Amino acid sequence: MSALQACKALLWIGLLFPLGLRAQSTFYNTGQIQRIELHFSQPNWDYQLDTAKLGAETPLMADWLKINGIQYDSVGVRYKGNSSYDSTKIKNPLNISLDEYKNQAHEGYATIKLGNAYADPSLIREVLAYDILGDYMHCPKANFAQLYINGNYIGLYSNPESINKEFCSNHFYSSSGTFFKCNPLDIPSPLIKSNLKTLTGDSTAYFPRYELKSNAGWNDLVSLCDVVTTNSAALSSKMDMDGAIWMLAFNDVMVNLDSYSGVFTQNYYLYHDATDHFNPIVWDLNMSFGGFPFLGIGTSGTATLTVPNMEQMPIDIHATDPNWPLINAVMGSPRYKRMYLAHLRTIADEVIASGDYLARASAFQSLVDTAVASDNNKFYTYTQFQNSLTAGAPNGSYTVPGISSLMIARLAYLQGRPEFGYAQPIIGSALPSPLTPALNSTVTVTAQVSGADSVFLGYRLDQSLKFVRAQMYDDGAHGDAGAADGLYGASFTLSAAAAQYYVYAENANIGAFSPARAEHEYHVVQAALSLPQPGDLVVNEFLAVNQTGMTDEAGQLEDWIELYNTTNGTLALTGLYLTDDVLNRSKYAFPAGTVIPARGFLMLWADEDSSTANYLHCNFKLSSQGEEILLGDGGSLTLDSIVYGPQTADMSLGRCPDGTGALGLRTAPSFNAYNCTVAVDPTTAHALQLSAFPNPTTERLEISASSPYKGDLEVTNALGIRILKEKWTGSANLDVQDWACGIYMLRLGNATRKIIVLH
């Protein structure tokens, strides 16, 4: 590829996103192997890491870390893992903390966790399993990385996203809730399980079984365990049961037994969100697809499964064993069991029967083939890797099965079970009426359903909330046309810009969802709204590290974001969203009725405190290490977007002139006030238009304006960095031959123009 072709390819990618906004999470792009390099000045770095692992597990400082060539100085490194760690081996799993000594992160991620493919001849199990699980519930992203230490290639690793406060904030819209890692603190034992079983005595009895990741929360865990064990009828008020059911269904179909479903009931997290529910999060999938054969029976039995045992593992494992109380609760509830069977069949149909898992696995193996061949520290031979989809390989006392051979036999077993022969309810299109309702109007959802005894509508008005479930009726009185015609209906008030909903139907044996992946996926109905257009409303100033500045209504020092209305009329913000995650563009919804006056400001606190109605508090915080802020309609419309780097305490980034200028560092933040005074007629400036020719360009750029203007011409690059500022004289002729290939923004007062430079 020529330099010009490469430039055009990068620009094409860049044009998919607004200027100044990068595509997030390229670090976890499953189509790219990350190159991670560490350099230690300590000649005995491996010995020091081993010593720390066997002691206090304090990190060792590496001189620098490079990620795909981008260097970060002074990072913390330690070995991690239990069975996957071996002091006699070179290729051990690592935990790398970019922010251990400095305020730094890569694409917003400060922690890197690398898995060494222990007990996995395919080297793809973990990435493949997360890739599949992400279709059904909240889980980490994951891909592959090649690790080099002091210039030596250590090997190919899995690169799963760390489950930490940032993960919880992105997925559950808070980060200060009770947070547990559900793994025994010492070497796992069948006698010590993280199984959510209530224990005698006080909370200290739980200490060996769970690791507290928040400042407090033992009483919350005790309360959850009491409900799971003794009052499962109340469990929906304590736990996200749909997530729990998806977790158990995935564990069963994929024979993932180094999990809650296996002997140690471990390798998951629990996060208690602002809705007062615990959310299960699956962790450590390197031994999925039969890589861990220990099922467990009773208190201490291990029940080691052979490969044929795995292929025919019952779908109701541990249904009555009191040492797996969460499974007891699901299998003991007729409704939860029907939902479980529905989710089980969805995974089996979509992933195995369709061949989807094999297509993904084959693509991953092709991607990593060269990296595996040159990995001299891997635990299996290159031939075993090549044959790992179909052929088994030994791991100590048992055999790790080939992925596809296990799944083919597993599917045959599942399809032969009576539960897979149950006739599921059939749900037709679940449509809202009207299709684009007015705000605060009644919306009726109807669905043609057959083969069901009961039908329910699940809906919510914000994605940070739990779904409310309401019964749907076929009686002719609920917007469902005639009685007993198979058309079911239910209604709710659309008091927000949009609502998310699904339909669940069940008979005596099994349930069905529309969409099939609900509640993780859902249908959406949006209110008919008139929205501001790009340029009307902007992020004018923000402060990401507030230590001594303005406080909110509760007297707390919180991050804040200032919006500015550039128009001469009042703007309604209902239907707009603010986010710090481009992959979740509808993260924070402005409360219904929110307005911003002409040429006025609106302040929002970014503090994860959005639970109170009409509170202008976002359900996310701003990262001090840098991230993005995006304002839009939750879909394709972007009103403004900003990408910023590491921030300094009590210093903001603000625009000057307000609403149109480039962002600049402000040592004295101007909360809810103008950032600067510029002698420009706002009416004239707002109408000013810029022309640039030729565009794209390679050598020179001719710039002109539609009307006279006194001020400066500014040019910023795609990162928002100003590269040129000169006095405007009525026109400009710029030499761009030394500019890098990319997208640039011209600014003249309130007028802007995007240009493209090709070389």
Side-chain angles (χ1 to χ4, degrees):
M1 180 183 291
S2 68
L4 180 58
Q5 288 173 322
C7 173
K8 289 181 177 179
L10 288 171
L11 283 171
W12 173 247
I13 295 171
L15 286 171
L16 296 177
F17 300 91
L19 187 73
L21 181 67
R22 56 174 164 78
Q24 186 176 344
S25 301
T26 57
F27 185 55
Y28 292 108
N29 179 359
T30 54
Q32 176 187 357
I33 301 176
Q34 308 299 300
R35 181 183 176 94
I36 297 180
E37 302 170 77
L38 285 168
H39 185 271
F40 295 96
S41 58
Q42 306 92 328
N44 63 342
W45 59 267
D46 181 56
Y47 171 78
Q48 291 195 46
L49 287 174
D50 285 330
T51 302
K53 178 68 175 72
L54 300 174
E57 297 198 36
T58 53
L60 178 67
M61 181 187 288
D63 296 21
W64 51 257
L65 161 75
K66 286 184 181 179
I67 302 174
N68 301 325
I70 301 174
Q71 182 166 317
Y72 302 91
D73 294 328
S74 304
V75 301
V77 183
R78 61 182 177 85
Y79 285 145
K80 70 180 187 72
N82 290 318
S83 55
S84 58
Y85 165 77
D86 187 336
S87 62
T88 68
K89 301 293 185 183
I90 297 175
K91 186 180 179 181
N92 277 306
L94 276 80
N95 184 319
I96 304 171
S97 299
L98 280 75
D99 61 348
E100 187 71 34
Y101 309 104
K102 291 185 175 182
N103 182 22
Q104 57 188 3
H106 181 75
E107 296 185 1
Y109 299 102
T111 302
I112 299 172
K113 293 193 174 182
L114 300 178
N116 62 350
Y118 168 78
D120 180 13
S122 77
L123 281 82
I124 67 167
R125 269 176 164 79
E126 185 153 43
V127 177
L128 175 63
Y130 277 128
D131 198 50
I132 292 170
L133 183 60
D135 290 339
Y136 304 107
M137 66 181 296
H138 294 285
C139 78
K141 298 180 284 286
N143 64 359
F144 302 98
Q146 288 181 280
L147 176 66
Y148 296 79
I149 298 182
N150 288 4
N152 298 314
Y153 180 41
I154 304 301
L156 180 77
Y157 283 74
S158 62
N159 177 35
E161 179 187 5
S162 177
I163 300 176
N164 50 25
K165 288 187 175 182
E166 289 72 27
F167 177 93
C168 295
S169 178
N170 289 333
H171 288 264
F172 309 115
Y173 313 105
S174 68
S175 61
S176 58
T178 296
F179 189 25
F180 281 96
K181 183 178 182 181
C182 300
N183 285 67
L185 294 183
D186 297 320
I187 299 299
S189 164
L191 295 173
I192 301 178
K193 300 178 184 291
S194 305
N195 59 359
L196 302 180
K197 186 176 182 179
T198 190
L199 303 172
T200 58
D202 59 21
S203 61
T204 59
Y206 296 80
F207 289 3
R209 292 166 166 80
Y210 307 89
E211 183 180 352
L212 181 64
K213 292 291 186 178
S214 50
N215 294 329
W218 286 108
N219 289 336
D220 293 334
L221 178 67
V222 172
S223 177
L224 173 67
C225 292
D226 288 345
V227 172
V228 171
T229 306
T230 65
N231 188 19
S232 59
L235 194 49
S236 62
S237 66
K238 284 284 188 180
M239 178 178 273
D240 174 14
M241 288 306 297
D242 188 72
I245 292 170
W246 276 120
M247 177 179 75
L248 297 178
F250 174 86
N251 288 346
D252 193 275
V253 175
M254 301 303 170
V255 196
N256 178 44
L257 296 179
D258 194 16
S259 68
Y260 184 91
S261 301
V263 63
F264 300 131
T265 60
Q266 62 172 1
N267 284 332
Y268 66 102
Y269 286 76
L270 288 171
Y271 179 72
H272 190 245
D273 64 24
T275 70
D276 199 26
H277 287 76
F278 275 99
N279 299 270
I281 312 163
V282 175
W283 176 245
D284 201 2
L285 290 174
N286 67 299
M287 300 177 80
S288 55
F289 297 99
F292 185 86
F294 307 112
L295 178 63
I297 296 175
T299 303
S300 58
T302 55
T304 304
L305 302 183
T306 63
V307 173
N309 293 151
M310 295 182 202
E311 296 168 351
Q312 300 187 32
M313 188 175 70
I315 64 175
D316 58 351
I317 53 171
H318 308 309
T320 59
D321 192 322
N323 293 286
W324 282 263
L326 182 59
I327 296 178
N328 299 167
V330 170
M331 293 302 178
S333 163
R335 175 151 296 155
Y336 288 157
K337 185 175 182 180
R338 293 171 193 137
M339 292 179 173
Y340 171 78
L341 294 177
H343 288 345
L344 202 75
R345 285 177 59 168
T346 295
I347 296 174
D349 290 344
E350 291 187 349
V351 178
I352 310 178
S354 69
D356 174 70
Y357 80 95
L358 187 56
R360 300 193 207 197
S362 299
F364 287 148
Q365 280 212 315
S366 296
L367 174 68
V368 303
D369 183 84
T370 301
V372 173
S374 57
D375 181 351
N376 295 323
N377 300 313
K378 56 184 175 290
F379 299 99
Y380 293 89
T381 67
Y382 179 61
T383 299
Q384 287 173 315
F385 159 77
Q386 291 178 306
N387 298 331
S388 60
L389 294 185
T390 56
N395 182 55
S397 61
Y398 64 90
T399 297
V400 178
I403 292 175
S404 65
S405 59
L406 174 67
M407 289 293 98
I408 290 170
R410 183 88 183 120
L411 179 64
Y413 168 76
L414 292 173
Q415 291 179 336
R417 289 277 306 196
E419 294 89 341
F420 271 64
Y422 292 154
Q424 279 187 282
I426 299 174
I427 305 173
S429 298
L431 297 175
S433 179
L435 291 176
T436 53
L439 186 67
N440 294 318
S441 66
T442 298
V443 176
T444 299
V445 175
T446 58
Q448 194 74 38
V449 181
S450 61
D453 299 328
S454 300
V455 183
F456 296 89
L457 173 69
Y459 69 93
R460 63 185 179 187
L461 300 176
D462 187 280
Q463 62 182 0
S464 64
L465 304 175
K466 296 302 176 188
F467 281 95
V468 175
R469 190 173 295 160
Q471 187 164 357
M472 300 180 74
Y473 294 91
D474 179 16
D475 59 1
H478 290 81
D480 58 308
D485 60 358
L487 186 67
Y488 288 76
S491 302
F492 62 91
T493 300
L494 185 61
S495 57
Q500 301 163 354
Y501 69 93
Y502 67 90
V503 172
Y504 170 70
E506 65 180 16
N507 53 39
N509 296 316
I510 192 170
F513 290 84
S514 172
R517 296 176 181 178
E519 295 175 338
H520 189 61
E521 292 183 359
Y522 37 76
H523 305 296
V524 176
V525 56
Q526 292 183 310
L529 298 167
S530 178
L531 300 176
Q533 294 303 300
D536 293 345
L537 184 66
V538 300
V539 176
N540 197 53
E541 187 180 5
F542 68 91
L543 181 65
V545 186
N546 185 4
Q547 293 184 351
T548 62
M550 300 295 293
T551 59
D552 66 5
E553 304 94 325
Q556 297 174 328
L557 293 162
E558 305 287 8
D559 306 339
W560 52 261
I561 300 169
E562 178 188 83
L563 303 185
Y564 178 65
N565 178 356
T566 67
T567 75
N568 294 318
T570 299
L571 295 176
L573 274 61
T574 304
L576 295 182
Y577 298 84
L578 200 62
T579 184
D580 64 343
D581 182 358
V582 70
L583 299 180
N584 184 2
R585 295 170 69 98
S586 58
K587 197 168 188 178
Y588 169 73
F590 287 91
T594 303
V595 296
I596 181 170
R599 305 287 172 183
F601 302 98
L602 181 72
M603 304 305 304
L604 298 111
W605 299 100
D607 58 359
E608 296 179 345
D609 185 13
S610 61
S611 57
T612 303
N614 295 320
Y615 235 37
L616 293 176
H617 289 244
C618 301
N619 52 13
F620 60 86
K621 296 180 179 180
L622 296 179
S623 172
S624 63
Q625 298 164 337
E627 57 178 353
E628 63 260 300
I629 304 172
L630 187 146
L631 174 67
D633 70 344
S636 60
L637 176 66
T638 297
L639 299 183
D640 196 14
S641 60
I642 292 169
V643 173
Y644 67 91
Q647 297 296 290
T648 303
D650 297 321
M651 293 187 185
S652 67
L653 286 177
R655 298 185 186 278
C656 182
D658 291 88
T660 60
L663 288 169
L665 186 66
R666 301 186 56 76
T667 57
S670 51
F671 181 93
N672 201 28
Y674 287 101
N675 297 334
C676 54
T677 302
V678 180
V680 177
D681 179 355
T683 304
T684 302
H686 191 61
L688 188 69
Q689 294 183 352
L690 277 175
S691 297
F693 180 83
N695 189 15
T697 184
T698 57
E699 296 181 355
R700 305 199 69 82
L701 191 68
E702 299 284 345
I703 305 171
S704 59
S706 61
S707 57
Y709 173 77
K710 292 183 179 181
D712 294 323
L713 171 69
E714 295 185 357
V715 181
T716 55
N717 63 16
L719 297 177
I721 299 172
R722 187 171 64 197
I723 65 169
L724 181 146
K725 180 179 180 181
E726 62 180 40
K727 210 71 174 174
W728 179 250
T729 60
S731 65
N733 188 324
L734 303 182
D735 183 351
V736 301
Q737 294 184 75
D738 294 332
W739 294 11
C741 167
I743 305 173
Y744 295 81
M745 184 67 82
L746 307 178
R747 285 188 174 87
L748 192 65
N750 283 9
T752 61
R753 184 79 176 183
K754 183 186 294 184
I755 62 170
I756 299 173
V757 174
L758 295 174
H759 290 304

